[in-house]
Structure formats: C-alpha cells, structure tokens
Amino acid sequence: MNQYAVVTADEAFQSRDGVIKLHGADGFAGMRAAGRLAAEILDELTKHVVPGVSTAEIDDIVREMTLKGGAVPATLGYRGYTHSCCTSINHVICHGIPSDKKLRDGDIVNVDVTPMLDGWHGDTSRMFLVGDVPVKARRLVDVTYECLMLGIEAAKPGNRIGDIGHAIQTHAEGHRYGVVREFCGHGLGRLFHDAPEIVHAGRPGTGPLLKPGMIFTIEPMINIGKPHGKVLEDGWTAVTRDRSLSAQFEHSIGITEDGCEIFTASPKGLHKPPY
Ligand code: MF3
Ligand code: CO
Ligand code: CO
C-alpha cells in the first residue's frame, strides 16, 4: 500500500520513508522558480557545448550560473560528489563526472543540472550534439526525447506510475532500444530524491495512483543496445555493459487537476537538439 500525505512547504523537507507527498500552491511556486533557473542554465549551455570544450569548463559555467541565480548546485557535496552537474558522454548512461576531458566532434553528451533555489530543487537534463553527429546517434537522441514526452503525457490524475513506464518502454522497444532499469525518476521538492520511484518501464494500470500535488522527475535513459549498465571504479560513472550509446532527457513535473505542469521547460524553446 502506498500512503500519501498533504504537506505544507514547511513540512516538505522531512523524509517520510516512502510516503508520497502532495504539495500545495507554495510548493508549485517554489518548483516553478527552481525549474526555470535549471532550464535557463541548460539554454545557456547550448552555445558552449562544442568540440574542444572540457566537461570541467561546462561544470564551471553551471556552477557560476547557479550561484548567480541565487541558488546552490544540489550535487555539490551530495554523497561525496564534488561537482555542479553530471556530464555523460556517449556510452555513459548517467552520473558522468566533469573532468579535463575535452568533447570531440561526433560525441553526444547529457548535461544534468540541479539548482536548489530557496530550498526547492529544479532537476533537468538534455542531450547536446557535439559538432557533426552520425545519424544513428541522432536518432537515439530524438527517440529518447520522444520517450520523455510520452511519459509526461501519461502523467495525469487517474493514471498510475506504471502507465508512465509503459509509455516509455513501448516507444523505446519499438525502436529496438534498451530501457535502463538501474536508475529511476524520483519524487523531489525540498528533498533532492524522495518517494515515489519512477521506473521507466512498466505495465499499464500498475503502481501508485497519480494524484494532484505529486512532484517528481521523469528521466528515461535509453541505450542503442541492451539495457544493462555497470558503475565504474570511481563509484559514480554508469556505463552500458555492451558499450552501446546511451541518451537521457529529464524534466521535473507536478501533477495538476487535469494533467501536469513541466517546471523545467526551456524558456527559449531549446527542448532538444539541434539547438
Ligand atoms: N541529477 C541526478 C538526477 O537526476 C542526480 C545526480 S546526483 C550526483 O537524479 F551526485 F551524481 F550528481
Ligand atoms: Co533526477
Ligand atoms: Co538530474
């Protein structure tokens, strides 16, 4: 059985062991502001993600923009992570660590940012194409974006969490791609990672019921090859076992009376490449 709890902004920082929070207007307002800043940071990055730039330079831009926006990067110091974003290149599924490594022509890279503004977390990521990217990789990126948006369409009251995963899985597997199961979307708000878990594969009509006030991410990771991943020695970087390319997009959303609100939509309409 899943439990739900209506929470005020003051109560939303509490960890409640699997209880799904139902946020009010103040929570939605907080998430709207944090989500907008997160999206603006990704918008700004479109002109910086080019061949020859290092992922550490991208991390610097993310940190500076986050601080300038009056927020702090939620990943800084999170479980020992020491960077302001994740940069996941090619066969990296997620949690790639920024470094001196330079982006190369033909790479695809996900940048995932999470500014915490006035206590609320805006969590979003997009794929970027570096220079001239082969059609096979571009198709993966397009289909992964479609997966995210199909998941968002299924995110409405009356549906269940399994309906979101089902929409994503059906589309991805229709293209013979693999859906990563080891990492999930998650509730968020004043907590970075909260209940419920949003698995990106599932059966229709299963899982917790979606109710107005729920706030969570959808962040499908889709591989050209098999779904399986492994984490490297650094304890963070997750890669595909078969070294096939992997892509991801992420939005933070809130369930409303008749659907959902996307907190992290791009103000400039730069939702997916080419930007
Ligand atoms: N932003 C990631 C997410 O979507 C979490 C990154 S945690 C980090 O949940 F420590 F790896 F940065
Ligand atoms: Co997330
Ligand atoms: Co994220």
Side-chain angles (χ1 to χ4, degrees):
M1 269 304 290
N2 269 279
Q3 294 179 66
Y4 299 81
V6 175
V7 293
T8 64
D10 282 344
E11 292 160 342
F13 72 91
Q14 296 166 357
S15 175
R16 287 181 175 239
D17 295 321
V19 175
I20 297 172
K21 295 186 177 77
L22 302 177
H23 297 268
D26 46 1
F28 273 59
M31 287 301 292
R32 209 168 282 140
R36 185 183 170 89
L37 176 60
E40 284 170 352
I41 293 168
L42 293 183
D43 282 358
E44 170 69 19
L45 288 183
T46 54
K47 51 177 184 280
H48 297 284
V49 181
V50 292
V53 76
S54 73
T55 49
E57 290 171 79
I58 293 171
D59 191 61
D60 287 341
I61 296 165
V62 171
R63 190 182 56 256
E64 278 157 26
M65 275 201 76
T66 304
L67 297 175
K68 212 173 111 204
V72 287
T75 54
L76 259 187
Y78 179 77
R79 299 183 179 204
Y81 194 81
T82 54
H83 293 82
S84 301
C85 64
C86 298
T87 50
S88 302
I89 305 169
N90 296 336
H91 70 292
V92 178
I93 294 172
C94 64
H95 303 164
I97 304 173
S99 73
D100 293 336
K101 190 174 166 175
K102 290 177 166 47
L103 294 174
R104 291 164 20 156
D105 188 65
D107 284 345
I108 59 171
V109 59
N110 175 279
V111 183
D112 189 337
V113 301
T114 316
M116 181 180 64
L117 181 66
D118 296 331
W120 299 92
H121 293 79
D123 189 5
T124 184
S125 80
R126 294 179 207 155
M127 296 302 296
F128 296 81
L129 307 179
V130 183
D132 209 4
V133 170
V135 65
K136 233 180 105 178
R138 276 188 276 133
R139 195 176 303 126
L140 171 71
V141 169
D142 281 344
V143 171
T144 304
Y145 180 75
E146 290 160 10
C147 283
L148 170 61
M149 296 317 287
L150 288 167
I152 289 175
E153 272 175 42
K156 56 185 181 195
N159 268 2
R160 291 179 181 271
I161 286 180
D163 293 306
I164 297 174
H166 179 70
I168 292 167
Q169 182 179 10
T170 302
H171 192 59
E173 291 181 355
H175 289 266
R176 310 194 131 272
Y177 294 148
V179 180
V180 173
R181 312 292 208 279
E182 291 102 325
F183 301 93
C184 304
H186 50 91
L188 82 171
R190 292 186 67 186
L191 295 178
F192 188 0
H193 292 113
D194 200 358
E197 272 192 359
I198 309 292
V199 187
H200 301 108
R203 280 179 296 126
T206 64
L209 201 53
L210 298 171
K211 298 189 183 193
M214 284 171 68
I215 292 177
F216 54 85
T217 72
I218 304 179
E219 46 183 299
M221 288 141 276
I222 308 294
N223 305 340
I224 283 188
K226 297 251 158 43
H228 315 287
K230 63 173 182 192
V231 175
L232 299 184
E233 301 275 82
D234 60 26
W236 287 104
T237 314
V239 300
T240 55
R241 278 194 174 270
D242 61 10
R243 293 190 66 91
S244 66
L245 289 180
S246 186
Q248 179 180 30
F249 285 85
E250 174 177 27
H251 273 314
S252 299
I253 68 169
I255 302 294
T256 59
E257 292 301 325
D258 54 2
C260 69
E261 175 174 349
I262 303 175
F263 298 124
T264 46
S266 164
K268 292 194 172 151
L270 305 172
H271 302 299
K272 62 160 184 142
Y275 297 118

